[in-house]
Amino acid sequence: ESETRRETPQQALYELTGARLPAGRQFAADCLWSDAEPLAVFEALGAALLAAPSASSWMLVNVASAQPPLVSPAPSAFSVSGKLYVSIYAVWDDGSAAARNLAWLRETMRGLESLAAGSYVGEADLVARPSSAAQSFSPAAWRRLNDLRDRYDPERLFCWYPGLA
């Protein structure tokens, strides 16, 4: 019998992730939200993982609860979500493997574009995909964020998202 849902303490999640990213390893990550059929997402992820140049690379998929959110996402900073949240981690030990692993991560993300409903700005590769910054917010929230920037930082003294003016 398979277990479909269980509570997991946050500390256990930190320990699990920490074990996958020990000191000395290099890694890069990217992510997406998806409302696509889960089977399509899992098939694409499985094929991508089989093509990973490093056996240490991994993916995390969070399936959203069927329960409605406690707070409407419209006024919040986290205004983009989906049925699935996918994080992809390219992990390697040898510095000479960086280009190959980064290429795999970026190609994987290009292959998932048609399944994506947005990004999470905290894990998105903003250098490779500058557009993922705006895709991490609803259009209204992105406009509001830019309006606040225009109001409080018209001279653009503070750093903004990579690749965006």
Side-chain angles (χ1 to χ4, degrees), residues 3-128:
E3 186 176 334
T4 58
R5 184 177 176 158
R6 69 180 162 131
E7 289 187 27
T8 306
Q10 191 69 38
Q11 184 61 34
L13 295 175
Y14 286 135
E15 290 169 4
L16 176 66
T17 303
R20 305 285 285 155
L21 300 170
R25 280 205 165 148
Q26 298 176 44
F27 73 94
D30 209 341
C31 66
L32 64 98
W33 288 103
S34 181
D35 284 321
E37 287 302 313
L39 184 57
V41 175
F42 286 117
E43 285 177 346
L45 293 175
L49 196 54
L50 288 173
S54 168
S56 298
S57 294
W58 54 284
M59 299 173 178
L60 173 71
V61 179
N62 182 42
V63 180
S65 169
Q67 299 175 4
L70 298 175
V71 178
S72 169
S76 70
F78 297 104
S79 52
V80 173
S81 65
K83 292 188 289 189
L84 300 171
Y85 176 73
V86 178
S87 294
I88 302 171
Y89 294 86
V91 183
W92 63 96
D93 295 313
D94 182 2
S96 66
R100 194 169 58 244
N101 282 277
L102 288 171
W104 168 78
L105 176 63
R106 291 170 179 166
E107 178 62 29
T108 297
M109 290 305 295
R110 276 191 296 279
L112 295 169
E113 283 177 356
S114 66
L115 302 173
S119 294
Y120 163 57
V121 74
E123 250 183 344
D125 185 342
L126 299 173
V127 173

Side-chain angles (χ1 to χ4, degrees), residues 140-154 156 160:
W142 184 248
R143 278 191 304 274
R144 193 167 59 247
L145 184 60
N146 278 282
D147 289 348
L148 288 168
R149 182 176 184 232
D150 289 344
R151 180 176 175 189
Y152 292 105
D153 187 22
R156 305 298 191 245
W160 191 236

